[in-house]
């Protein structure tokens, strides 16, 4: 290894280090680097080659960004492009991540004379104008802003991409299987067309369960040729604990915890030393110790389990830097309020700040700045907005309230903790309902706790959810047709299909389906066709493309702005009406609504002493089939995970006892009054397919937690129906979809005819082969 003059000798030889540009090597030594990490060492040569796509998969905080940009910057410094255009494009799912990466890359590129620029919705128009007039260097951009470039500056896209050497996609896993991901793949293909060559793509991700599927996502039709750099350097110690709680009516006597079925409500921090309630995997967690309610101060709206969780968070996290992931924006507001009240009651500075997508940019950036500031402790209560790689410094621990949304999401969240050779600490909080007369068997199974255990088990086995197969993404294809017309001023049907489908990423869409889509778009006046065959925007399409919401592939709900005087707090969905005089929890504080202006869509608030969290729209995450199959294994296993606290162990015992008592190991059918409960222990797609298949046979079936409720059906009748389905086969997906009155889900579904809407809905929600396999195994003929 050649060391720049005057700098200390390296720890170990590195062939990759020698390949980097001398000024890049000097910068590394000046930053105190004495070796390259595993992913960086392995990525330098293939990225420097500049003739192939590279997928870099490594744990959070193992230097993925540098693995891509050290060789990219070396290549650009050694041979700067001589023609106009951006040299490299970095695409990120988050504006905040772009802002963070801009600072990191700017420090590296400053001495290399490589310009680094941002382009997203918060960047001034004048700055964008200067970049458009003289495109060069590295451009950091979101998919939506890249879409805007194609729409608004289509004739110049050839110039912008003329010097393009690399395209980097960060947080690749966040795009896979989504409409936004379909949009991104189309934009990357159109960049290749604008550059008139195949531009190497570099994909970065921390959580990839199926590298083959991820490589195919990065380069549709060429995934087998994508070089894969996989780091195994994530062997850090993981400390975790799952704490169990029982939901109780908030009006109950706070000191009444005698019911043994409830278990101890919480553990005090005095039971263990620093981080003592988070035991290493394979060790023992801290014990549980009940305590009273004094000090909650204003949290009377919350149920007791919520207050107990907030109390434990306050006592355990205060004084450090932490992330607390709640499963909804409403929960973020509720817990931030309770923790603020705890701080006020204890007469200590408040360290707890909110972060979610409906808060204003200023409030989100304030929270991010608090986390980065090492001089004062801070804990962010957040949704997935802080799940990805924004550099917020070293976080001591991560907490998850409620069952995690998925294995990959939990891995991403866990990766925010334990940086700089420290253990990764994860605290999980799960609440189950208290026993009650006539308790639903699904509640007796303590399914949220068991789902959390199953998720953690799969996490420790390094399994993550694969992308859903075969989705046509017709809504996003509609957007791309409109965008292509805007870019070129018109396009023929054949050219549009060749660009987007035959040679592009929408390969599930054949010529017949594409022709049907164009007919639907013409009927909805999104497009029109000239006598010479050229497709142009229709009356409705023109309005849509000229509106700023067009650039996002996902639907953006109509929202009210929330202000406190001249200060912007964020937005609330318009379908959740707020009355004047009502109390509201928002942005981590309590407010009284002063005025509501429907015309201006404006809510003005003032500080108040009480409030309730607003209700936000949005469906919960889909539970993968493998998670539910693992849940059954947890019920049938005698193993008690060492990371459960005493209350969680009791809840697990209760769930397993209910599983045995209900006989679910022998039969999935359970009599329930005049009805029957079916417990398939399979993923949401199979559950939905079963529900509709039973409906097709005249059985009124509805989801109830882990089960399907078959109304007015005995177990014998249910078995007959399910056996017949196993023998005769399931109805077609189109027949099943007839039982769904409104199949619109995505942004442009309003323009689709029933056949195409059915195709789009069924590929998203149904899994006929897996359901038929379940029926054949469980109800053999």
């Amino acid at each position: 290894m050649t060391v720049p003059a005057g700098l200390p000798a390296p720890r170990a030889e590195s062939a990759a280090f020698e390949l980097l540009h001398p000024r890049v090597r000097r910068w590394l030594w000046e930053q105190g680097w004495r070796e390259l990490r595993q992913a960086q060492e392995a990525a330098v040569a293939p990225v420097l080659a500049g003739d192939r796509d590279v997928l870099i998969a490594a744990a959070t905080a193992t230097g993925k960004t540098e693995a891509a940009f050290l060789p990219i910057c070396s290549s650009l410094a050694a041979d700067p492009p001589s023609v106009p255009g951006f040299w490299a494009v970095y695409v990120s799912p988050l504006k905040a991540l772009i802002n963070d990466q801009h600072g990191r890359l700017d420090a590296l590129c400053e001495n290399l004379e490589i310009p680094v620029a941002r382009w997203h919705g918060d960047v001034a128009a004048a700055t964008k104008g200067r970049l458009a007039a003289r495109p060069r260097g590295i451009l950091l951009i979101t998919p939506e802003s890249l879409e805007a470039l194609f729409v608004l500056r289509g004739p110049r896209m050839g110039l912008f991409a003329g010097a393009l050497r690399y395209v980097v996609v960060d947080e690749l896993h966040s795009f896979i299987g989504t409409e936004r991901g379909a949009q991104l793949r189309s934009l990357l293909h159109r960049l290749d067309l604008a550059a008139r060559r195949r531009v190497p793509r570099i994909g970065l991700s921390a959580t990839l369960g199926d590298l083959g599927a991820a490589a195919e996502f990065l380069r549709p039709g060429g995934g087998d040729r994508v070089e894969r750099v996989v780091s195994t350097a994530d062997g850090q110690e993981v400390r975790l604990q799952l704490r169990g709680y029982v939901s109780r009516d908030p009006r109950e006597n706070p000191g009444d915890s005698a019911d043994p079925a409830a278990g101890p409500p919480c553990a005090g921090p005095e039971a263990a030393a620093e981080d003592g309630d988070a035991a290493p995997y394979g060790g023992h967690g801290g014990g549980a110790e009940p305590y009273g309610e004094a000090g909650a101060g204003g949290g009377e709206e919350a149920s007791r389990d919520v207050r107990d969780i907030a109390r434990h968070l306050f006592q355990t996290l205060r004084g450090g830097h932490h992330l607390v992931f709640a499963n909804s924006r409403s929960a973020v507001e509720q817990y931030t309020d309770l923790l603020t009240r705890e701080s006020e009651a204890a007469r200590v500075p408040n360290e707890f700040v909110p972060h979610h997508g409906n808060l204003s940019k200023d409030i989100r950036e304030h929270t991010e700045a608090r986390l980065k500031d090492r001089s004062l402790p801070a804990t962010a209560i957040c949704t997935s907005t802080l799940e990805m790689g924004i550099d917020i410094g070293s976080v001591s621990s991560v907490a998850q309230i409620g069952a995690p949304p998925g294995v990959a999401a939990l891995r991403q969240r866990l990766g925010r903790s334990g940086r700089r050779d420290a253990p990764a600490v994860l605290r999980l909080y799960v609440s189950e309902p208290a026993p009650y007369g006539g308790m639903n068997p699904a509640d007796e199974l303590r399914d949220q706790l068991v789902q959390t255990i199953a998720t953690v088990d799969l996490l420790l086995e390094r399994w993550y959810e694969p992308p859903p197969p075969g989705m046509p993404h017709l809504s996003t294809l509609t957007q791309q047709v409109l965008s292509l017309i805007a870019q070129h001023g018109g396009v023929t049907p054949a050219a549009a299909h060749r660009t987007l489908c035959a040679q592009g990423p929408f390969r599930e869409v054949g010529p017949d389906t594409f022709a049907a889509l164009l007919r639907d778009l013409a009927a909805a006046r999104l497009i029109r066709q000239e006598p010479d065959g050229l497709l142009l925007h229709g009356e409705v399409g023109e309005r849509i493309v000229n509106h700023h919401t067009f650039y996002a592939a996902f639907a953006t709900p109509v929202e009210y702005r929330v202000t406190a005087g001249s200060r912007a707090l964020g937005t609330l969905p318009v379908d959740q009406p707020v009355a004047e005089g009502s109390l509201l929890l928002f942005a981590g504080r309590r407010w009284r609504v002063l005025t509501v202006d429907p015309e201006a869509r404006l809510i003005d608030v003032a500080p108040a002493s009480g409030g309730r969290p607003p209700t936000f729209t949005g469906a919960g995450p889909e539970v993968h089939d493998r998670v539910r199959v693992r849940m059954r294994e947890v019920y049938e296993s005698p193993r008690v995970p060492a990371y459960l606290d005493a209350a969680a162990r009791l809840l697990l015992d209760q769930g397993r006892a209910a599983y045995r008592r209900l006989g679910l190991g022998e039969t999935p059918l359970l009599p329930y009054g005049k009805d029957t409960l079916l417990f398939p222990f399979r993923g949401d797609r199979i559950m939905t397919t079963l529900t509709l298949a039973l409906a097709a046979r005249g059985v009124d079936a509805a989801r109830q937690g882990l089960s399907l409720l078959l109304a007015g059906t005995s177990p014998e009748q249910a078995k007959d129906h399910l056996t017949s389905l196993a023998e005769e086969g399931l109805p077609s997906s189109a027949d099943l979809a007839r039982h769904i009155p409104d199949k619109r889900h995505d942004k442009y579904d309003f323009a689709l005819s029933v056949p195409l809407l059915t195709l789009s809905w069924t590929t998203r929600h149904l899994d006929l082969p897996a359901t038929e396999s379940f029926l054949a195994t469980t109800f053999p003929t």
Side-chain angles (χ1 to χ4, degrees):
M1 179 185 291
T2 304
V3 181
L7 294 175
R11 293 180 182 175
E13 293 299 320
S14 169
F17 185 84
E18 296 291 344
L19 298 175
L20 298 175
H21 190 276
R23 282 190 286 176
V24 174
R25 297 203 303 263
R26 173 170 287 278
W27 181 85
L28 288 172
W29 283 102
E30 289 173 348
Q31 301 307 306
W33 291 40
R34 296 299 176 262
E35 60 186 358
L36 297 178
R37 296 185 177 183
Q38 184 185 29
Q40 297 158 354
E41 186 79 28
V44 167
V47 173
L48 264 179
D51 59 358
R52 70 200 73 170
D53 303 315
V54 182
L55 175 62
I56 303 174
T60 301
T62 54
K64 292 185 298 297
T65 302
E66 289 78 12
F69 276 103
L70 291 178
I72 287 174
C73 291
S74 291
S75 174
L76 297 178
D79 181 24
S82 58
V83 298
F86 295 111
W87 305 349
V89 170
Y90 164 93
V91 184
S92 164
L94 296 174
K95 292 185 289 186
L97 184 53
I98 284 177
N99 295 339
D100 177 71
Q101 298 288 30
H102 179 265
R104 296 170 65 182
L105 286 178
D106 204 37
L108 168 62
C109 293
E110 184 178 11
N111 293 329
L112 303 175
E113 300 178 2
I114 300 175
V116 182
R118 294 171 288 178
W119 192 308
H120 57 63
D122 294 337
V123 175
T127 301
K128 294 176 180 176
R130 288 192 294 270
L131 287 172
R134 191 167 182 244
R136 60 192 301 265
I138 299 174
L139 181 68
L140 314 182
I141 196 166
T142 62
E144 290 72 30
S145 290
L146 185 55
E147 184 76 73
L149 278 180
F150 277 104
V151 171
L152 301 176
R153 305 174 193 266
R156 292 180 61 81
M157 289 305 296
L159 172 66
F160 291 165
L164 195 57
R165 296 263 189 90
Y166 297 96
V167 174
V168 179
V169 180
D170 205 353
E171 304 291 354
L172 186 75
H173 68 279
S174 70
F175 292 108
I176 296 175
T178 68
E179 294 304 313
R180 201 180 188 204
Q183 175 191 26
L184 174 62
R185 294 207 303 177
S186 179
L187 295 174
L188 296 182
H189 178 63
R190 292 166 64 187
L191 266 181
D192 280 357
L193 295 178
R196 297 182 180 274
R197 64 186 181 283
R198 185 175 177 273
V199 180
R201 300 174 187 174
I202 316 297
L204 310 178
S205 183
T207 52
L208 290 171
D210 185 340
L211 289 176
E216 183 64 24
F217 177 88
L218 184 64
R219 178 66 70 176
D224 57 337
R225 297 188 297 276
V226 174
E227 185 153 343
R228 303 169 193 182
V229 173
V230 183
S231 172
T232 58
D234 61 349
Q236 67 181 150
E237 180 185 2
V238 177
R239 296 187 172 194
L240 62 98
Q241 185 183 50
L242 197 168
R243 305 182 63 83
Y245 294 82
V246 173
S247 174
R248 292 184 175 277
D249 190 300
R251 295 165 295 182
E252 283 189 29
N253 180 357
D256 181 12
S257 58
D259 183 359
C266 192
E270 64 277 9
E274 180 180 359
D275 282 332
D277 69 329
Y281 180 65
H284 295 282
E289 180 177 342
Y291 61 90
E293 284 291 310
E300 65 277 3
E301 306 92 339
S303 60
R304 175 162 178 194
D305 56 313
V306 171
R307 287 178 287 156
D308 283 346
I309 291 171
R311 180 72 57 79
H312 187 265
L313 290 169
F314 176 79
Q315 295 176 331
T316 307
L317 304 186
R318 186 174 174 273
H321 286 75
H322 310 272
L323 295 177
V324 178
F325 288 97
N327 278 347
S328 69
R329 288 162 286 182
S330 295
V332 167
E333 295 293 351
Q334 183 175 44
Y335 279 101
T336 305
D337 174 70
L338 288 170
L339 289 163
T340 300
R341 297 290 162 171
E342 290 284 352
S343 301
E344 293 172 353
R347 292 184 170 84
V348 296
N350 179 38
E351 304 171 4
F352 302 94
V353 286
H355 196 287
H356 63 73
N358 278 77
L359 297 176
S360 69
K361 170 176 173 284
D362 290 344
I363 291 175
R364 295 195 309 271
E365 290 184 348
H366 171 73
T367 294
E368 293 160 18
R370 286 284 304 270
L371 291 168
K372 291 180 182 181
D373 184 359
R374 299 290 94 185
S375 64
L376 293 173
T379 292
I381 318 300
C382 57
T383 58
S384 58
T385 50
L386 286 180
E387 185 177 294
M388 289 181 280
I390 302 170
D391 188 0
I392 52 176
S394 178
V395 175
S396 300
S397 74
V398 167
Q400 166 69 44
I401 300 174
V407 183
L410 183 61
R411 180 64 188 89
Q412 189 73 19
R413 295 175 181 190
L414 177 62
R416 306 300 283 157
S417 170
R419 299 184 174 206
R420 298 179 177 89
D421 300 321
V425 179
L426 172 65
R427 298 179 176 89
L428 301 120
Y429 298 80
V430 175
S431 180
E432 295 286 0
Y436 57 89
M439 190 176 191
N440 190 303
D443 289 336
E444 293 185 66
L445 290 171
R446 306 311 198 185
D447 64 302
Q448 291 300 292
L449 179 94
V450 175
Q451 181 177 324
T452 302
I453 293 172
T455 302
V456 171
D457 282 353
L458 293 169
L459 169 75
L460 296 172
E461 295 173 10
R462 302 174 186 269
W463 177 89
Y464 310 116
E465 292 88 353
M471 293 180 60
H473 298 287
L474 294 179
S475 173
T476 303
L477 178 55
T478 296
Q479 182 211 38
Q480 291 302 292
V481 168
L482 295 174
S483 176
L484 200 63
I485 292 172
Q487 177 187 355
H488 297 290
V491 65
T492 66
H497 183 263
R498 182 175 60 252
T499 298
L500 298 174
C501 303
Q503 298 175 2
F506 297 93
R507 302 190 178 200
E508 299 288 338
V509 180
D512 292 343
T513 301
F514 189 72
L517 175 67
L518 294 184
R519 288 193 294 270
D520 286 353
L521 301 187
R525 295 184 296 165
L526 269 66
I527 62 173
R528 60 185 175 89
Q529 190 169 26
E530 292 290 280
D532 62 359
L534 197 68
L535 298 177
L536 301 175
H537 291 144
E539 175 188 350
V540 175
E542 192 76 40
R543 291 199 303 267
I544 289 174
V545 173
N546 287 331
H547 196 272
H548 68 89
T549 58
F550 171 73
Y551 310 124
F554 50 87
T556 51
V558 178
E559 296 178 322
Y560 281 88
R561 290 180 295 121
V562 183
T563 60
S566 60
R567 185 190 181 199
L569 300 178
T571 59
L572 285 177
V574 74
D575 58 353
Q576 296 296 326
V578 177
E580 293 183 356
S582 62
L583 300 175
L584 184 69
L585 295 181
F586 195 69
R589 296 183 61 185
R590 296 185 168 200
W591 310 94
R592 181 179 297 278
V593 176
L594 299 180
T595 60
V596 178
D597 186 342
E599 294 297 324
R601 291 178 181 157
L602 180 67
I603 300 171
D604 193 41
V605 298
S609 59
R612 292 182 178 276
T615 300
F616 294 91
T617 56
E622 181 181 90
V623 180
H624 192 273
D625 190 50
R626 189 161 177 181
V627 174
R628 292 260 171 74
V629 170
R630 178 54 60 91
M631 288 177 68
R632 178 190 285 277
E633 295 172 5
V634 172
Y635 282 116
E636 296 182 347
S637 169
R639 180 181 67 92
V640 177
Y643 53 82
L644 305 188
D645 78 339
R649 289 195 294 271
L650 182 57
L651 289 171
L652 177 58
D653 288 343
Q654 293 171 356
R656 284 174 170 169
Y659 181 88
R660 293 190 297 270
R661 177 170 48 79
L662 298 172
L664 295 178
E666 290 71 45
T667 176
L669 296 171
L670 184 69
Y672 189 57
K674 297 181 179 180
D675 309 322
T676 294
L677 294 175
L678 169 63
F679 289 87
F681 289 102
R682 301 304 296 265
D684 281 349
R685 290 191 175 204
I686 295 177
M687 296 282 276
T688 300
T689 307
L690 282 171
T691 301
L692 297 180
L694 288 165
R697 296 182 63 87
V699 179
D700 183 7
R703 286 286 298 274
Q704 283 199 357
L706 279 177
S707 68
L708 294 180
L709 175 68
L710 281 55
T713 305
S714 69
E716 292 76 17
Q717 292 170 325
K719 184 176 181 180
D720 288 342
H721 284 298
L722 294 163
T723 302
S724 295
L725 285 171
E727 182 178 7
E728 300 167 7
L730 296 173
S732 69
S733 58
D735 287 339
L736 294 178
R738 290 194 181 99
H739 298 276
I740 302 297
D742 187 357
K743 291 178 277 291
R744 291 172 297 178
H745 179 279
D746 296 316
K747 187 173 183 179
Y748 295 100
D749 281 355
F750 71 88
L752 301 184
S753 60
V754 172
L756 292 189
L757 195 58
T758 297
L759 172 65
S760 181
W761 189 91
T762 55
T763 53
R764 178 187 297 275
H765 294 288
L766 302 182
D767 189 338
L768 271 66
T771 305
E772 289 176 339
S773 176
F774 162 76
L775 289 169
T777 303
T778 312
F779 300 97
T781 57

